[in-house]
Amino acid sequence: MRMGWVIATVIAACLIAPAPSGAAPPPGPCAGQSAKHGRAAANLERRARILKARGRPTAARALRRRARWEARLARYYEEQARARGLPRGAAVTLSTLLRSQVLRRSFLTGFEQLTPENEMKMERLQPARGVFRFAEADRMVRFARRYCKRVRGHALVYGRQLPHWATDGSLTAGQLGFEMEWHVQRVVERYAGRVADWDVVNEAIDADGDYTQNVWYLALGKAYIERAFRTAHDADPTARLYYNDSGIELPDHPHTLAVRKMVADLRRRGVPIEGVGIQNHVSTSHHASEAQMARTIRGFTDLGVKVAITEMDVRLDTPGTPARKLDSQRLVYRSAARACRKNPSCTSFSTWGVGDGVSWLGPAAAGLLFDRGYRRKPAYRAVSRSLGSPETP
Ligand code: 9MR
């Protein structure tokens, strides 16, 4: 069992090894992808026929399976390029990407954008002061580019998942400000042109509308937010820079109003913030209706910024039969996807994970678009249709 896992991991590591130079650069329509995978399928089929003729049916069957997968990818890219739906995104971790072929395949034919779930957070990228570890994030970015997926960078400045050196009280406010800017600059420069969107500041405001008392705020006051955006913009002027938060899906909630006020103020002062990420971690009993979500999105886009749904999941917390719960979940997802699609300034729609088996909420919450066995749930179809994206079988 353990040996099998090791072999699978090694094979997977090869699959997400550096892309050969010249691989199609995302974002974009990725027109060449379909032809590339179509050719791969045809080659594998030809080799399978030769093997069969030489009396090696088992090896031939293995090649046929790979050929079928390549053909499926080819179909996916073709349909996706034709439909030009709004990008569907998902957060994934490198370890699941390496471990699980079914996760990789569900992601590759189900989504157009990838958010590294934890690999770009400060504790991972700079575990010791001045010592950057980019290997994990690099692999994810290479994987995404190889398959022509956009990357949403998450999250440059956050009050959680920080390295010990930043929170142990050993640095002065001046040093913390310098370190924050240095971190943002190094990371954004490294991925310039490869990470299209960044969550620059994450969860800086609490549910009651006050600034979150994180290490950055306590040292620098709210000015840290502006400094983070300006630094990120200098490092890659082409990246779209977002403020990302949870609990801001209802239009009149004090939290949403506070974020709107902050964004309006930043925009007024020329701070290069281009978008707001609405995380949308909700449940079947607590969520925004389509009209409410439309109003929330408009509340932000009226300020001149884009919006993205960045981390959606819908916990099942209402009673009923399994089928009924899944249907309630479908409706909640559909409302958010429709509201996003209808506003031209809503740029993408992401969930916080792919399948229910690997979710920060745990499997029982069943909040994602694929079930534990990576079968598509009713919500997947609803989201895809609402965003104008095909569902490649
Ligand atoms: O999904 C992430 C989980 O693996 C981490 O343990 C957790 C630590 O805070 O962060 C989770 O991701 C969060 C994201 O970075 C920001 N919005 C809320 C997400 C869920 O907690």
Side-chain angles (χ1 to χ4, degrees), residues 91 93 115-118 121 123-124 154-155 158 160-161 199 202-203 244-246 279 281 310-311 313 352-353 359-361:
T93 64
T115 306
E117 187 167 333
N118 291 309
K121 290 172 180 169
E123 69 174 358
R124 301 287 273 272
H154 173 89
Y158 186 16
R160 294 180 185 201
Q161 290 177 282
D199 290 333
N202 194 47
E203 297 168 21
N244 189 49
D245 212 341
S246 69
Q279 294 184 7
H281 293 291
T310 52
E311 305 186 12
D313 38 39
W352 206 243
S359 157
W360 73 290
L361 293 169

PDB file of all heavy atoms in Angstrom, residues 91 93 115-118 121 123-124 154-155 158 160-161 199 202-203 244-246 279 281 310-311 313 352-353 359-361, ligand 1:
ATOM      1  N   ALA A  91      -9.431  26.125  -5.415  1.00  0.00           N
ATOM      2  CA  ALA A  91      -8.211  26.072  -4.603  1.00  0.00           C
ATOM      3  C   ALA A  91      -7.779  24.617  -4.526  1.00  0.00           C
ATOM      4  O   ALA A  91      -8.618  23.725  -4.354  1.00  0.00           O
ATOM      5  CB  ALA A  91      -8.493  26.602  -3.202  1.00  0.00           C
ATOM      6  N   THR A  93      -4.303  22.023  -3.063  1.00  0.00           N
ATOM      7  CA  THR A  93      -3.001  21.975  -2.390  1.00  0.00           C
ATOM      8  C   THR A  93      -2.055  21.156  -3.250  1.00  0.00           C
ATOM      9  O   THR A  93      -2.494  20.257  -3.983  1.00  0.00           O
ATOM     10  CB  THR A  93      -3.091  21.321  -0.996  1.00  0.00           C
ATOM     11  OG1 THR A  93      -3.486  19.956  -1.169  1.00  0.00           O
ATOM     12  CG2 THR A  93      -4.081  22.039  -0.103  1.00  0.00           C
ATOM     13  N   THR A 115      -6.080  28.275  -7.536  1.00  0.00           N
ATOM     14  CA  THR A 115      -5.564  29.048  -6.411  1.00  0.00           C
ATOM     15  C   THR A 115      -4.777  28.095  -5.516  1.00  0.00           C
ATOM     16  O   THR A 115      -5.352  27.114  -5.025  1.00  0.00           O
ATOM     17  CB  THR A 115      -6.704  29.656  -5.562  1.00  0.00           C
ATOM     18  OG1 THR A 115      -7.569  30.413  -6.405  1.00  0.00           O
ATOM     19  CG2 THR A 115      -6.157  30.568  -4.474  1.00  0.00           C
ATOM     20  N   PRO A 116      -3.481  28.335  -5.321  1.00  0.00           N
ATOM     21  CA  PRO A 116      -2.764  27.518  -4.339  1.00  0.00           C
ATOM     22  C   PRO A 116      -3.378  27.777  -2.957  1.00  0.00           C
ATOM     23  O   PRO A 116      -3.429  28.916  -2.499  1.00  0.00           O
ATOM     24  CB  PRO A 116      -1.326  28.043  -4.420  1.00  0.00           C
ATOM     25  CG  PRO A 116      -1.235  28.714  -5.767  1.00  0.00           C
ATOM     26  CD  PRO A 116      -2.601  29.306  -5.991  1.00  0.00           C
ATOM     27  N   GLU A 117      -3.863  26.704  -2.327  1.00  0.00           N
ATOM     28  CA  GLU A 117      -4.654  26.897  -1.105  1.00  0.00           C
ATOM     29  C   GLU A 117      -3.804  27.453   0.042  1.00  0.00           C
ATOM     30  O   GLU A 117      -4.257  28.312   0.801  1.00  0.00           O
ATOM     31  CB  GLU A 117      -5.308  25.584  -0.697  1.00  0.00           C
ATOM     32  CG  GLU A 117      -6.271  25.728   0.458  1.00  0.00           C
ATOM     33  CD  GLU A 117      -7.147  24.494   0.661  1.00  0.00           C
ATOM     34  OE1 GLU A 117      -7.406  23.765  -0.312  1.00  0.00           O
ATOM     35  OE2 GLU A 117      -7.566  24.265   1.805  1.00  0.00           O
ATOM     36  N   ASN A 118      -2.597  26.986   0.177  1.00  0.00           N
ATOM     37  CA  ASN A 118      -1.729  27.443   1.271  1.00  0.00           C
ATOM     38  C   ASN A 118      -0.300  27.764   0.834  1.00  0.00           C
ATOM     39  O   ASN A 118       0.446  28.370   1.598  1.00  0.00           O
ATOM     40  CB  ASN A 118      -1.658  26.361   2.355  1.00  0.00           C
ATOM     41  CG  ASN A 118      -2.988  26.201   3.079  1.00  0.00           C
ATOM     42  OD1 ASN A 118      -3.575  27.178   3.548  1.00  0.00           O
ATOM     43  ND2 ASN A 118      -3.483  24.978   3.136  1.00  0.00           N
ATOM     44  N   LYS A 121       1.217  31.371   0.999  1.00  0.00           N
ATOM     45  CA  LYS A 121       1.079  32.169   2.221  1.00  0.00           C
ATOM     46  C   LYS A 121       2.460  32.399   2.821  1.00  0.00           C
ATOM     47  O   LYS A 121       3.406  31.643   2.567  1.00  0.00           O
ATOM     48  CB  LYS A 121       0.146  31.461   3.194  1.00  0.00           C
ATOM     49  CG  LYS A 121      -1.314  31.494   2.680  1.00  0.00           C
ATOM     50  CD  LYS A 121      -2.242  30.651   3.493  1.00  0.00           C
ATOM     51  CE  LYS A 121      -3.666  30.735   2.941  1.00  0.00           C
ATOM     52  NZ  LYS A 121      -4.557  29.737   3.523  1.00  0.00           N
ATOM     53  N   GLU A 123       3.935  32.034   5.683  1.00  0.00           N
ATOM     54  CA  GLU A 123       4.643  31.007   6.473  1.00  0.00           C
ATOM     55  C   GLU A 123       5.289  29.962   5.569  1.00  0.00           C
ATOM     56  O   GLU A 123       6.282  29.342   5.937  1.00  0.00           O
ATOM     57  CB  GLU A 123       3.709  30.325   7.476  1.00  0.00           C
ATOM     58  CG  GLU A 123       2.661  29.452   6.855  1.00  0.00           C
ATOM     59  CD  GLU A 123       1.816  28.664   7.872  1.00  0.00           C
ATOM     60  OE1 GLU A 123       2.078  28.778   9.080  1.00  0.00           O
ATOM     61  OE2 GLU A 123       0.894  27.960   7.425  1.00  0.00           O
ATOM     62  N   ARG A 124       4.717  29.777   4.383  1.00  0.00           N
ATOM     63  CA  ARG A 124       5.276  28.794   3.454  1.00  0.00           C
ATOM     64  C   ARG A 124       6.365  29.406   2.579  1.00  0.00           C
ATOM     65  O   ARG A 124       7.360  28.759   2.292  1.00  0.00           O
ATOM     66  CB  ARG A 124       4.173  28.217   2.561  1.00  0.00           C
ATOM     67  CG  ARG A 124       3.065  27.553   3.329  1.00  0.00           C
ATOM     68  CD  ARG A 124       3.508  26.204   3.922  1.00  0.00           C
ATOM     69  NE  ARG A 124       3.316  25.162   2.952  1.00  0.00           N
ATOM     70  CZ  ARG A 124       2.181  24.476   2.802  1.00  0.00           C
ATOM     71  NH1 ARG A 124       1.163  24.694   3.600  1.00  0.00           N
ATOM     72  NH2 ARG A 124       2.075  23.545   1.891  1.00  0.00           N
ATOM     73  N   HIS A 154      -2.563  33.768  -3.756  1.00  0.00           N
ATOM     74  CA  HIS A 154      -3.278  33.926  -2.479  1.00  0.00           C
ATOM     75  C   HIS A 154      -2.326  33.557  -1.354  1.00  0.00           C
ATOM     76  O   HIS A 154      -1.795  32.459  -1.365  1.00  0.00           O
ATOM     77  CB  HIS A 154      -4.489  32.979  -2.476  1.00  0.00           C
ATOM     78  CG  HIS A 154      -5.197  32.923  -1.164  1.00  0.00           C
ATOM     79  ND1 HIS A 154      -6.214  33.789  -0.850  1.00  0.00           N
ATOM     80  CD2 HIS A 154      -5.049  32.117  -0.082  1.00  0.00           C
ATOM     81  CE1 HIS A 154      -6.671  33.493   0.350  1.00  0.00           C
ATOM     82  NE2 HIS A 154      -5.978  32.495   0.845  1.00  0.00           N
ATOM     83  N   ALA A 155      -2.099  34.350  -0.417  1.00  0.00           N
ATOM     84  CA  ALA A 155      -2.483  35.727  -0.188  1.00  0.00           C
ATOM     85  C   ALA A 155      -1.221  36.429   0.336  1.00  0.00           C
ATOM     86  O   ALA A 155      -0.559  35.885   1.208  1.00  0.00           O
ATOM     87  CB  ALA A 155      -3.597  35.798   0.855  1.00  0.00           C
ATOM     88  N   TYR A 158      -1.607  38.769   5.087  1.00  0.00           N
ATOM     89  CA  TYR A 158      -2.711  38.106   5.788  1.00  0.00           C
ATOM     90  C   TYR A 158      -2.309  38.052   7.257  1.00  0.00           C
ATOM     91  O   TYR A 158      -1.121  37.946   7.573  1.00  0.00           O
ATOM     92  CB  TYR A 158      -2.851  36.700   5.184  1.00  0.00           C
ATOM     93  CG  TYR A 158      -4.022  35.849   5.651  1.00  0.00           C
ATOM     94  CD1 TYR A 158      -5.115  36.383   6.317  1.00  0.00           C
ATOM     95  CD2 TYR A 158      -4.024  34.475   5.386  1.00  0.00           C
ATOM     96  CE1 TYR A 158      -6.168  35.578   6.703  1.00  0.00           C
ATOM     97  CE2 TYR A 158      -5.083  33.663   5.778  1.00  0.00           C
ATOM     98  CZ  TYR A 158      -6.147  34.214   6.443  1.00  0.00           C
ATOM     99  OH  TYR A 158      -7.185  33.408   6.823  1.00  0.00           O
ATOM    100  N   ARG A 160      -3.027  35.654   9.254  1.00  0.00           N
ATOM    101  CA  ARG A 160      -2.856  34.258   9.684  1.00  0.00           C
ATOM    102  C   ARG A 160      -1.807  33.566   8.836  1.00  0.00           C
ATOM    103  O   ARG A 160      -1.411  34.064   7.807  1.00  0.00           O
ATOM    104  CB  ARG A 160      -4.159  33.498   9.505  1.00  0.00           C
ATOM    105  CG  ARG A 160      -5.221  33.994  10.416  1.00  0.00           C
ATOM    106  CD  ARG A 160      -6.476  33.206  10.183  1.00  0.00           C
ATOM    107  NE  ARG A 160      -7.521  33.802  10.997  1.00  0.00           N
ATOM    108  CZ  ARG A 160      -8.610  33.184  11.365  1.00  0.00           C
ATOM    109  NH1 ARG A 160      -8.820  31.946  10.971  1.00  0.00           N
ATOM    110  NH2 ARG A 160      -9.510  33.786  12.105  1.00  0.00           N
ATOM    111  N   GLN A 161      -1.475  32.353   9.275  1.00  0.00           N
ATOM    112  CA  GLN A 161      -0.477  31.538   8.577  1.00  0.00           C
ATOM    113  C   GLN A 161       0.786  32.353   8.308  1.00  0.00           C
ATOM    114  O   GLN A 161       1.320  32.381   7.195  1.00  0.00           O
ATOM    115  CB  GLN A 161      -1.075  30.934   7.314  1.00  0.00           C
ATOM    116  CG  GLN A 161      -2.112  29.857   7.676  1.00  0.00           C
ATOM    117  CD  GLN A 161      -2.792  29.285   6.470  1.00  0.00           C
ATOM    118  OE1 GLN A 161      -3.692  29.923   5.917  1.00  0.00           O
ATOM    119  NE2 GLN A 161      -2.398  28.107   6.052  1.00  0.00           N
ATOM    120  N   ASP A 199      -4.515  38.139  -4.477  1.00  0.00           N
ATOM    121  CA  ASP A 199      -5.166  38.610  -3.254  1.00  0.00           C
ATOM    122  C   ASP A 199      -4.046  39.285  -2.478  1.00  0.00           C
ATOM    123  O   ASP A 199      -3.216  38.614  -1.848  1.00  0.00           O
ATOM    124  CB  ASP A 199      -5.727  37.429  -2.452  1.00  0.00           C
ATOM    125  CG  ASP A 199      -6.916  36.792  -3.146  1.00  0.00           C
ATOM    126  OD1 ASP A 199      -7.612  37.503  -3.903  1.00  0.00           O
ATOM    127  OD2 ASP A 199      -7.145  35.583  -2.937  1.00  0.00           O
ATOM    128  N   ASN A 202      -5.682  40.142   2.674  1.00  0.00           N
ATOM    129  CA  ASN A 202      -6.744  39.171   2.935  1.00  0.00           C
ATOM    130  C   ASN A 202      -7.311  39.376   4.343  1.00  0.00           C
ATOM    131  O   ASN A 202      -6.549  39.449   5.308  1.00  0.00           O
ATOM    132  CB  ASN A 202      -6.149  37.759   2.821  1.00  0.00           C
ATOM    133  CG  ASN A 202      -7.203  36.682   2.740  1.00  0.00           C
ATOM    134  OD1 ASN A 202      -8.152  36.800   1.974  1.00  0.00           O
ATOM    135  ND2 ASN A 202      -7.049  35.640   3.536  1.00  0.00           N
ATOM    136  N   GLU A 203      -8.632  39.491   4.421  1.00  0.00           N
ATOM    137  CA  GLU A 203      -9.334  39.529   5.712  1.00  0.00           C
ATOM    138  C   GLU A 203      -8.778  40.570   6.678  1.00  0.00           C
ATOM    139  O   GLU A 203      -8.354  40.250   7.786  1.00  0.00           O
ATOM    140  CB  GLU A 203      -9.307  38.123   6.343  1.00  0.00           C
ATOM    141  CG  GLU A 203     -10.038  37.112   5.483  1.00  0.00           C
ATOM    142  CD  GLU A 203      -9.800  35.655   5.885  1.00  0.00           C
ATOM    143  OE1 GLU A 203      -9.395  35.411   7.030  1.00  0.00           O
ATOM    144  OE2 GLU A 203     -10.019  34.775   5.042  1.00  0.00           O
ATOM    145  N   ASN A 244      -9.379  40.716  -0.536  1.00  0.00           N
ATOM    146  CA  ASN A 244     -10.198  39.502  -0.447  1.00  0.00           C
ATOM    147  C   ASN A 244     -10.744  39.335   0.975  1.00  0.00           C
ATOM    148  O   ASN A 244     -10.010  39.507   1.945  1.00  0.00           O
ATOM    149  CB  ASN A 244      -9.292  38.306  -0.799  1.00  0.00           C
ATOM    150  CG  ASN A 244     -10.043  37.006  -0.969  1.00  0.00           C
ATOM    151  OD1 ASN A 244     -11.053  36.956  -1.682  1.00  0.00           O
ATOM    152  ND2 ASN A 244      -9.566  35.935  -0.339  1.00  0.00           N
ATOM    153  N   ASP A 245     -12.026  39.013   1.097  1.00  0.00           N
ATOM    154  CA  ASP A 245     -12.574  38.879   2.454  1.00  0.00           C
ATOM    155  C   ASP A 245     -13.743  37.893   2.490  1.00  0.00           C
ATOM    156  O   ASP A 245     -14.386  37.631   1.475  1.00  0.00           O
ATOM    157  CB  ASP A 245     -13.034  40.249   2.968  1.00  0.00           C
ATOM    158  CG  ASP A 245     -12.874  40.374   4.485  1.00  0.00           C
ATOM    159  OD1 ASP A 245     -12.770  39.333   5.178  1.00  0.00           O
ATOM    160  OD2 ASP A 245     -12.842  41.509   4.984  1.00  0.00           O
ATOM    161  N   SER A 246     -13.992  37.386   3.692  1.00  0.00           N
ATOM    162  CA  SER A 246     -15.145  36.490   3.866  1.00  0.00           C
ATOM    163  C   SER A 246     -16.227  37.243   4.627  1.00  0.00           C
ATOM    164  O   SER A 246     -15.959  38.251   5.288  1.00  0.00           O
ATOM    165  CB  SER A 246     -14.733  35.250   4.647  1.00  0.00           C
ATOM    166  OG  SER A 246     -14.452  35.585   5.973  1.00  0.00           O
ATOM    167  N   GLN A 279     -15.285  35.975  -0.776  1.00  0.00           N
ATOM    168  CA  GLN A 279     -14.956  34.557  -0.565  1.00  0.00           C
ATOM    169  C   GLN A 279     -16.194  33.671  -0.698  1.00  0.00           C
ATOM    170  O   GLN A 279     -16.191  32.642  -1.335  1.00  0.00           O
ATOM    171  CB  GLN A 279     -14.295  34.363   0.798  1.00  0.00           C
ATOM    172  CG  GLN A 279     -12.932  35.039   0.898  1.00  0.00           C
ATOM    173  CD  GLN A 279     -12.237  34.758   2.225  1.00  0.00           C
ATOM    174  OE1 GLN A 279     -12.692  33.951   3.043  1.00  0.00           O
ATOM    175  NE2 GLN A 279     -11.129  35.436   2.452  1.00  0.00           N
ATOM    176  N   HIS A 281     -17.965  31.829   1.710  1.00  0.00           N
ATOM    177  CA  HIS A 281     -18.077  30.575   2.471  1.00  0.00           C
ATOM    178  C   HIS A 281     -19.451  30.604   3.135  1.00  0.00           C
ATOM    179  O   HIS A 281     -19.655  31.355   4.094  1.00  0.00           O
ATOM    180  CB  HIS A 281     -17.000  30.503   3.560  1.00  0.00           C
ATOM    181  CG  HIS A 281     -15.613  30.383   3.018  1.00  0.00           C
ATOM    182  ND1 HIS A 281     -15.155  29.264   2.380  1.00  0.00           N
ATOM    183  CD2 HIS A 281     -14.576  31.260   3.023  1.00  0.00           C
ATOM    184  CE1 HIS A 281     -13.885  29.432   2.014  1.00  0.00           C
ATOM    185  NE2 HIS A 281     -13.517  30.644   2.385  1.00  0.00           N
ATOM    186  N   THR A 310     -14.279  34.136  -4.809  1.00  0.00           N
ATOM    187  CA  THR A 310     -12.938  33.556  -4.700  1.00  0.00           C
ATOM    188  C   THR A 310     -12.838  32.232  -3.936  1.00  0.00           C
ATOM    189  O   THR A 310     -11.888  31.488  -4.149  1.00  0.00           O
ATOM    190  CB  THR A 310     -11.984  34.563  -4.021  1.00  0.00           C
ATOM    191  OG1 THR A 310     -12.588  35.009  -2.808  1.00  0.00           O
ATOM    192  CG2 THR A 310     -11.683  35.728  -4.937  1.00  0.00           C
ATOM    193  N   GLU A 311     -13.764  31.949  -3.030  1.00  0.00           N
ATOM    194  CA  GLU A 311     -13.534  30.763  -2.179  1.00  0.00           C
ATOM    195  C   GLU A 311     -14.836  30.043  -1.849  1.00  0.00           C
ATOM    196  O   GLU A 311     -14.998  29.509  -0.754  1.00  0.00           O
ATOM    197  CB  GLU A 311     -12.855  31.173  -0.861  1.00  0.00           C
ATOM    198  CG  GLU A 311     -11.573  31.943  -1.020  1.00  0.00           C
ATOM    199  CD  GLU A 311     -10.847  32.201   0.300  1.00  0.00           C
ATOM    200  OE1 GLU A 311     -11.209  31.591   1.318  1.00  0.00           O
ATOM    201  OE2 GLU A 311      -9.906  33.013   0.283  1.00  0.00           O
ATOM    202  N   ASP A 313     -17.839  27.833  -0.880  1.00  0.00           N
ATOM    203  CA  ASP A 313     -18.307  26.493  -0.554  1.00  0.00           C
ATOM    204  C   ASP A 313     -19.650  26.660   0.140  1.00  0.00           C
ATOM    205  O   ASP A 313     -19.959  27.727   0.680  1.00  0.00           O
ATOM    206  CB  ASP A 313     -17.319  25.651   0.276  1.00  0.00           C
ATOM    207  CG  ASP A 313     -16.555  26.429   1.324  1.00  0.00           C
ATOM    208  OD1 ASP A 313     -17.157  27.311   1.959  1.00  0.00           O
ATOM    209  OD2 ASP A 313     -15.366  26.135   1.535  1.00  0.00           O
ATOM    210  N   TRP A 352     -13.486  26.701  -2.877  1.00  0.00           N
ATOM    211  CA  TRP A 352     -12.312  26.470  -2.015  1.00  0.00           C
ATOM    212  C   TRP A 352     -12.059  24.971  -1.892  1.00  0.00           C
ATOM    213  O   TRP A 352     -12.234  24.376  -0.842  1.00  0.00           O
ATOM    214  CB  TRP A 352     -12.503  27.161  -0.664  1.00  0.00           C
ATOM    215  CG  TRP A 352     -11.190  27.493  -0.029  1.00  0.00           C
ATOM    216  CD1 TRP A 352     -10.704  27.012   1.159  1.00  0.00           C
ATOM    217  CD2 TRP A 352     -10.182  28.369  -0.539  1.00  0.00           C
ATOM    218  NE1 TRP A 352      -9.454  27.533   1.397  1.00  0.00           N
ATOM    219  CE2 TRP A 352      -9.105  28.375   0.369  1.00  0.00           C
ATOM    220  CE3 TRP A 352     -10.069  29.164  -1.692  1.00  0.00           C
ATOM    221  CZ2 TRP A 352      -7.937  29.119   0.172  1.00  0.00           C
ATOM    222  CZ3 TRP A 352      -8.920  29.903  -1.893  1.00  0.00           C
ATOM    223  CH2 TRP A 352      -7.868  29.875  -0.959  1.00  0.00           C
ATOM    224  N   GLY A 353     -11.640  24.401  -3.005  1.00  0.00           N
ATOM    225  CA  GLY A 353     -11.411  22.969  -3.077  1.00  0.00           C
ATOM    226  C   GLY A 353     -12.138  22.430  -4.294  1.00  0.00           C
ATOM    227  O   GLY A 353     -12.884  23.168  -4.963  1.00  0.00           O
ATOM    228  N   SER A 359     -11.301  19.164   1.999  1.00  0.00           N
ATOM    229  CA  SER A 359     -11.820  20.517   2.172  1.00  0.00           C
ATOM    230  C   SER A 359     -11.475  20.986   3.580  1.00  0.00           C
ATOM    231  O   SER A 359     -11.469  20.186   4.517  1.00  0.00           O
ATOM    232  CB  SER A 359     -13.345  20.501   1.997  1.00  0.00           C
ATOM    233  OG  SER A 359     -13.928  21.608   2.648  1.00  0.00           O
ATOM    234  N   TRP A 360     -11.213  22.274   3.713  1.00  0.00           N
ATOM    235  CA  TRP A 360     -10.909  22.800   5.047  1.00  0.00           C
ATOM    236  C   TRP A 360     -12.088  22.584   6.005  1.00  0.00           C
ATOM    237  O   TRP A 360     -11.914  22.572   7.217  1.00  0.00           O
ATOM    238  CB  TRP A 360     -10.562  24.298   4.960  1.00  0.00           C
ATOM    239  CG  TRP A 360     -11.749  25.180   4.690  1.00  0.00           C
ATOM    240  CD1 TRP A 360     -12.447  25.256   3.536  1.00  0.00           C
ATOM    241  CD2 TRP A 360     -12.372  26.097   5.608  1.00  0.00           C
ATOM    242  NE1 TRP A 360     -13.473  26.157   3.649  1.00  0.00           N
ATOM    243  CE2 TRP A 360     -13.448  26.700   4.916  1.00  0.00           C
ATOM    244  CE3 TRP A 360     -12.120  26.469   6.928  1.00  0.00           C
ATOM    245  CZ2 TRP A 360     -14.274  27.647   5.510  1.00  0.00           C
ATOM    246  CZ3 TRP A 360     -12.958  27.420   7.519  1.00  0.00           C
ATOM    247  CH2 TRP A 360     -14.014  27.992   6.812  1.00  0.00           C
ATOM    248  N   LEU A 361     -13.278  22.366   5.461  1.00  0.00           N
ATOM    249  CA  LEU A 361     -14.464  22.177   6.294  1.00  0.00           C
ATOM    250  C   LEU A 361     -14.612  20.737   6.773  1.00  0.00           C
ATOM    251  O   LEU A 361     -15.448  20.444   7.620  1.00  0.00           O
ATOM    252  CB  LEU A 361     -15.721  22.537   5.485  1.00  0.00           C
ATOM    253  CG  LEU A 361     -15.886  24.002   5.098  1.00  0.00           C
ATOM    254  CD1 LEU A 361     -17.007  24.158   4.089  1.00  0.00           C
ATOM    255  CD2 LEU A 361     -16.160  24.846   6.345  1.00  0.00           C
TER     256      LEU A 361
HETATM  257  O1  9MR B   1      -8.016  26.150   3.381  1.00  0.00           O
HETATM  258  C1  9MR B   1      -7.033  26.699   4.212  1.00  0.00           C
HETATM  259  C2  9MR B   1      -6.649  25.701   5.280  1.00  0.00           C
HETATM  260  O2  9MR B   1      -6.010  24.595   4.693  1.00  0.00           O
HETATM  261  C3  9MR B   1      -5.767  26.361   6.318  1.00  0.00           C
HETATM  262  O3  9MR B   1      -5.519  25.461   7.366  1.00  0.00           O
HETATM  263  C4  9MR B   1      -6.457  27.612   6.829  1.00  0.00           C
HETATM  264  C5  9MR B   1      -5.621  28.306   7.886  1.00  0.00           C
HETATM  265  O4  9MR B   1      -6.171  29.536   8.242  1.00  0.00           O
HETATM  266  O5  9MR B   1      -6.695  28.502   5.758  1.00  0.00           O
HETATM  267  C6  9MR B   1      -7.591  27.971   4.827  1.00  0.00           C
HETATM  268  O6  9MR B   1      -7.850  28.885   3.802  1.00  0.00           O
HETATM  269  C7  9MR B   1      -8.485  30.100   4.161  1.00  0.00           C
HETATM  270  C8  9MR B   1      -8.043  31.149   3.176  1.00  0.00           C
HETATM  271  O7  9MR B   1      -6.645  31.233   3.127  1.00  0.00           O
HETATM  272  C9  9MR B   1      -8.626  32.506   3.492  1.00  0.00           C
HETATM  273  N1  9MR B   1     -10.065  32.449   3.628  1.00  0.00           N
HETATM  274  C10 9MR B   1     -10.587  31.404   4.485  1.00  0.00           C
HETATM  275  C11 9MR B   1     -10.017  30.052   4.076  1.00  0.00           C
HETATM  276  C12 9MR B   1     -10.642  28.930   4.885  1.00  0.00           C
HETATM  277  O8  9MR B   1     -10.312  29.062   6.233  1.00  0.00           O
END
